[in-house]
Amino acid sequence: MREPDISLTACSYSHVLDIISNKWTALVIYALEDGTIRYGEINRRIEGISQKMLTQTLKQLERDGLVSRKVTPSVPPVVDYTLTRLGESLIPYMKQLTEWASAHLAEVQHARAAYDSEALV
């Protein structure tokens, strides 16, 4: 029997997918693409995201080194978020994935419909 040559723990690709595969992560990164913005503006820009999910996503992106957070002491505190250089370096790759999705989503949907109709037979 052959030893596996693909490993979830050793594959850097799978670790990156863990970061960006969350449905909100990509949207938050896109919201920050044009520069520093405040929490409330991110929340307004992303349709359907709850405050809890936005907070969790921003914390995770900060932990991963993709986003920096700056708090300006005031009443209420002003919190600004910015992509780090590492976060900015993801943008071209995410745009490529977006372009692929735009070009091929209809094919994927067609394949799914065909598969689902055959599975019912």
Side-chain angles (χ1 to χ4, degrees), residues 12-102:
S12 60
Y13 184 75
S14 68
H15 294 290
V16 170
L17 281 179
D18 282 343
I19 294 168
I20 64 169
S21 65
N22 174 297
K23 73 178 184 178
W24 299 114
T25 298
L27 299 178
V28 170
I29 290 172
Y30 280 133
L32 294 166
E33 178 182 15
D34 295 328
T36 302
I37 59 174
R38 293 185 179 161
Y39 180 93
E41 180 62 20
I42 299 169
N43 196 34
R44 282 188 289 280
R45 291 191 65 195
I46 301 173
E47 179 183 10
I49 194 167
S50 68
Q51 287 188 356
K52 178 182 177 182
M53 191 52 60
L54 177 55
T55 298
Q56 288 176 355
T57 303
L58 286 165
K59 282 182 180 182
Q60 186 62 49
L61 289 170
E62 186 178 8
R63 180 176 181 258
D64 291 333
L66 302 175
V67 167
S68 66
R69 178 179 183 262
K70 179 185 174 203
V71 179
T72 304
S74 63
V75 179
V78 174
V79 183
D80 293 311
Y81 292 90
T82 307
L83 287 176
T84 62
R85 280 192 304 200
L86 183 61
E88 288 174 349
S89 72
L90 262 177
I91 297 292
Y93 302 104
M94 291 176 61
K95 284 186 176 188
Q96 286 180 335
L97 188 56
T98 300
E99 289 169 12
W100 184 91
S102 295

